[in-house]
Amino acid sequence: MVERAGSVVGLMEAMGLSAGAVERVSQLWGKSAAKNGGRRHLLLGHLLDTAAVEGLMWDQ
């Protein structure tokens, strides 16, 4: 079963990804649980965070 990792898994489900696709994407992570207070930080979440910061930097 996919670990709930914030809103990224919910976002993937809302996009209509199949349970299998969510499981496969959830196997990619940006930070391990050991380095993130016991929770994995999914690669998709990391990329979305990075894009948001880049967008703010671009605007400034």
Side-chain angles (χ1 to χ4, degrees):
M1 180 58 59
V2 175
E3 173 185 332
R4 292 266 172 219
S7 62
V8 175
V9 170
L11 174 64
M12 290 188 290
E13 291 171 343
M15 291 170 53
L17 271 70
S18 68
V22 172
E23 179 69 33
R24 287 189 300 278
V25 170
S26 295
Q27 292 174 2
L28 303 173
W29 65 90
K31 292 183 182 176
S32 68
K35 294 184 178 181
N36 193 37
R39 287 184 61 197
R40 285 187 305 173
H41 185 59
L42 299 181
L43 178 60
L44 179 57
H46 175 71
L47 294 173
L48 292 170
D49 292 345
T50 302
V53 170
E54 183 279 328
L56 290 172
M57 291 174 66
W58 182 265
D59 291 342
Q60 299 300 317

